[in-house]
Amino acid sequence: GQNIDQPTEMTATEGAIVQINCTYQTSGFNGLFWYQQHAGEAPTFLSYNVLDGLEEKGRFSSFLSRSKGYSYLLLKELQMKDSASYLCAVRSLGASGTYKYIFGTGTRLKVLA
Amino acid sequence: EPEVTQTPSHQVTQMGQEVILRCVPISNHLYFYWYRQILGQKVEFLVSFYNNEISEKSEIFDDQFSVERPDGSNFTLKIRSTKLEDSAMYFCASSEAWQVQETQYFGPGTRLLVL
């Protein structure tokens, strides 16, 4: 089957670094996405990995290991506005040759002053 | 910056009624998606749409759901006979292409409440 696991909640201090882990099991893997979602709002795209390694984008970095079914999102220099849910989503090739997207339950990050 | 728009922002309906949720994807995007998110739960993929037909659909997308692109700009999700468990936030998303580094842009969502 297809499954994505990520921690439910994390807390960190303003200015610190936090790593949010995601493990997945899927067939036909074709990319892993991280989204940020503030309460009551739509998800917004943060990063995308399809090959192993680290992708850096300003304060945000995302890492992927396909052999381990593992990814993490690294947030540096945390700001209060980073308090949000962070969603890990896996894209896989569906039966008709097009893509399906499976989302994790999200990790609710609280940034404390 | 171009964005995906959705109407209405909120919809309240009686169980058994039909609802149509509307989306205007970003104008040069070719791939369209519907997701739902029940309150406090994860985002769930419903369906993807390309070239005027469904590309992929999930187990949730049963016969009571349908999608349509009635004109060059709108993309709609119809729920034929709503059930209490259809209450959720429904997000539309679009992307320019689905290969390689495709980015999906989500609309603000329609909050559907079925009574």
Side-chain angles (χ1 to χ4, degrees), chain B residues 2 7 16 26 34-35 52 55 64 71 87-88 90 98:
Chain B
T7 53
I26 294 173
W34 282 103
Y35 295 87
N52 283 319
S55 302
Q64 71 158 350
D71 52 44
S87 295
Y90 288 81
W98 54 263

Side-chain angles (χ1 to χ4, degrees), chain B:
Chain B
E1 187 177 323
E3 56 184 21
V4 177
T5 59
Q6 289 184 243
T7 53
S9 58
H10 293 78
Q11 173 103 42
V12 180
T13 190
Q14 295 289 325
M15 191 170 58
Q17 295 296 304
E18 174 184 285
V19 294
I20 297 176
L21 310 183
R22 291 184 167 79
C23 169
V24 179
I26 294 173
S27 62
N28 64 332
H29 285 189
L30 302 176
Y31 294 85
F32 315 121
Y33 311 84
W34 282 103
Y35 295 87
R36 79 171 185 193
Q37 188 174 30
I38 296 169
L39 189 63
Q41 297 187 25
K42 64 181 178 181
V43 173
E44 298 174 291
F45 169 76
L46 292 177
V47 66
S48 59
F49 190 88
Y50 168 71
N51 201 26
N52 283 319
E53 59 182 31
I54 290 174
S55 302
E56 199 71 47
K57 59 183 181 180
S58 71
E59 300 77 17
I60 302 167
F61 195 87
D62 60 23
D63 291 344
Q64 71 158 350
F65 290 93
S66 62
V67 289
E68 199 177 29
R69 188 150 162 84
D71 52 44
S73 58
N74 288 282
F75 178 51
T76 62
L77 174 69
K78 184 193 290 187
I79 310 175
R80 270 182 257 285
S81 176
T82 49
K83 299 181 275 205
L84 295 177
E85 54 265 37
D86 293 327
S87 295
M89 182 76 102
Y90 288 81
F91 293 109
C92 172
S94 70
S95 65
E96 195 171 353
W98 54 263
Q99 59 264 43
V100 195
Q101 192 159 355
E102 162 239 30
T103 300
Q104 289 187 25
Y105 294 87
F106 281 74
T110 293
R111 188 173 295 283
L112 176 66
L113 179 60
V114 182
L115 302 176

Side-chain angles (χ1 to χ4, degrees), chain A residues 37 42 48 91 96 98-99 101, chain B residues 37 55-56 98 102 104 107:
Chain A
Q37 187 179 30
Y48 165 83
R91 182 174 69 188
S96 62
T98 55
Y99 294 132
Y101 297 82
Chain B
Q37 188 174 30
S55 302
E56 199 71 47
W98 54 263
E102 162 239 30
Q104 289 187 25

Side-chain angles (χ1 to χ4, degrees), chain A residues 11-76:
Chain A
T11 303
T13 307
E14 198 175 14
I17 298 172
V18 71
Q19 177 174 313
I20 302 174
N21 296 324
C22 170
T23 57
Y24 64 89
Q25 294 169 306
T26 188
S27 55
F29 175 84
N30 198 277
L32 188 139
F33 297 78
W34 283 96
Y35 289 87
Q36 181 190 61
Q37 187 179 30
H38 285 99
E41 297 183 12
T44 53
F45 171 80
L46 289 177
S47 71
Y48 165 83
N49 296 70
V50 68
L51 300 176
D52 291 352
L54 189 68
E55 292 282 340
E56 297 190 74
K57 236 183 181 185
R59 294 191 300 116
F60 297 85
S61 305
S62 57
F63 171 84
L64 175 67
S65 168
R66 289 171 296 169
S67 62
K68 294 180 180 172
Y70 168 69
S71 173
Y72 67 72
L73 178 70
L74 195 71
L75 293 80
K76 302 174 193 171

